[in-house]
Amino acid sequence: MKLLIINGPNLNLLGRRQPEIYGCESMESCLDRLRRRFPDVAIDYFQSNHEGGIIDELHRRGMDPAGCDGIILNAGAYTHTSLAIADAISSIEVPVIEVHLSNVASREPIRRTSLIGGVCLGVVAGFGTDSYRLAAEAFMERLQKNS
Ligand code: DQA
């Protein structure tokens, strides 16, 4: 099984950025933990601070179901603003799970709206870096059921 994690803007600073909201763990450490926990899963990682970069990666990996079984996307603030990312998710063949470190439903009103949630397979939010693990497990369960 192959999964791709895509992180959006400011998530390159994970571990150093507002640790009271997003925690102290870096993405490198989170990926390391995920790869050790799921040794049979190939987990690729892509991060961009640019909307177009995220869309290009969704197109590149999302149009090749043979090369990727699922995409775990934390679009950061673009979650709340980007119809273009929502359209990209609708356009590709590989399923996408939306994830957030923080519980966006309990934050400022703008963060309670997701333009992408409706076109994703599901949403995981509020569990810090564990949100990525929970999304990976959801994909694994789904693939096992479908095989
Ligand atoms: C976030 C939540 C977004 O509202 C915010 O803009 C982020 C991170 C999260 O993971 O909790 O950059 O996606």
Side-chain angles (χ1 to χ4, degrees), residues 21-129:
I21 299 175
Y22 301 116
C24 296
E25 189 179 22
S26 67
M27 199 59 204
E28 289 68 29
S29 156
C30 169
L31 286 168
D32 201 48
R33 229 163 21 82
L34 284 173
R35 287 175 180 140
R36 271 187 282 117
R37 188 170 178 132
F38 305 118
D40 298 334
V41 182
I43 301 175
D44 292 337
Y45 178 63
F46 175 84
Q47 191 274 332
S48 176
N49 290 320
H50 307 277
E51 191 174 24
I54 296 167
I55 293 168
D56 286 345
E57 188 68 4
L58 285 167
H59 291 174
R60 197 173 75 78
R61 297 297 303 275
M63 292 307 278
D64 178 17
C68 185
D69 297 298
I71 297 174
I72 295 170
L73 172 64
N74 185 346
Y78 286 136
T79 304
H80 319 295
T81 62
S82 180
L83 191 57
I85 292 179
D87 283 348
I89 296 168
S90 301
S91 305
I92 63 176
E93 291 165 30
V94 173
V96 176
I97 295 181
E98 173 186 345
V99 307
H100 298 285
L101 298 137
S102 63
N103 179 2
V104 280
S106 71
R107 298 184 63 193
E108 309 96 294
I110 181 81
R111 292 186 209 273
R112 293 181 205 153
T113 300
S114 169
L115 295 191
I116 67 174
V119 292
C120 287
L121 193 60
V123 181
V124 181
F127 299 97
T129 49

